[in-house]
Amino acid sequence: MTNLYSADPCSGDPRCRSTDSAMYMTVVRGHENYLEFIPFFFAVLGGLFYFNRAAVAGVFGAVWVFSRFLYSLGYSSGGVNARAPGFFLSLLSLLGMIGTLGWVAISILRV
């Protein structure tokens, strides 16, 4: 992993005390990235449960959790190409949940 900037990415961060601080920070950033998506995921998941689409929410939710696991494994490896499959799978499952929620909203508005 090349450092494009002159500053150390772990300077001033108390979590960088391990000997392999760069690898440790990739794991931490992967975890933080996962936590950034959780509120949006739960909002869409709750909307699907509210409109009685539990089966769809369960399938898309399980795929999303699995894909975020793949993404975190790829992120912790340090390579950009390793995290792409998990990212695109999580994006597809999230877009599927949003599309289903939009379809339900439109079908309710037509009635």
Side-chain angles (χ1 to χ4, degrees):
M1 187 160 126
T2 61
N3 191 0
L4 299 176
Y5 306 103
S6 60
D8 182 20
C10 292
S11 63
D13 195 343
R15 298 176 289 186
C16 288
R17 293 198 177 117
S18 69
T19 57
D20 194 7
S21 61
M23 185 58 73
Y24 176 73
M25 287 309 292
T26 58
V27 173
V28 169
R29 284 194 304 267
H31 178 68
E32 289 171 351
N33 185 275
Y34 178 76
L35 292 177
E36 290 171 357
F37 279 92
I38 287 287
F40 187 66
F41 169 72
F42 279 137
V44 176
L45 190 72
L48 287 174
F49 274 108
Y50 180 76
F51 290 115
N52 296 324
R53 301 295 189 264
V56 174
V59 169
F60 279 129
V63 169
W64 187 84
V65 168
F66 175 72
S67 63
R68 293 308 291 184
F69 176 72
L70 286 178
Y71 179 79
S72 66
L73 286 178
Y75 205 116
S76 64
S77 73
V80 175
N81 293 335
R83 58 183 156 171
F87 173 75
F88 287 117
L89 189 59
S90 68
L91 184 66
L92 286 175
S93 64
L94 198 56
L95 288 176
M97 289 170 56
I98 293 169
T100 304
L101 195 56
W103 176 74
V104 168
I106 288 172
S107 66
I108 288 174
L109 291 175
R110 284 191 205 171
V111 174

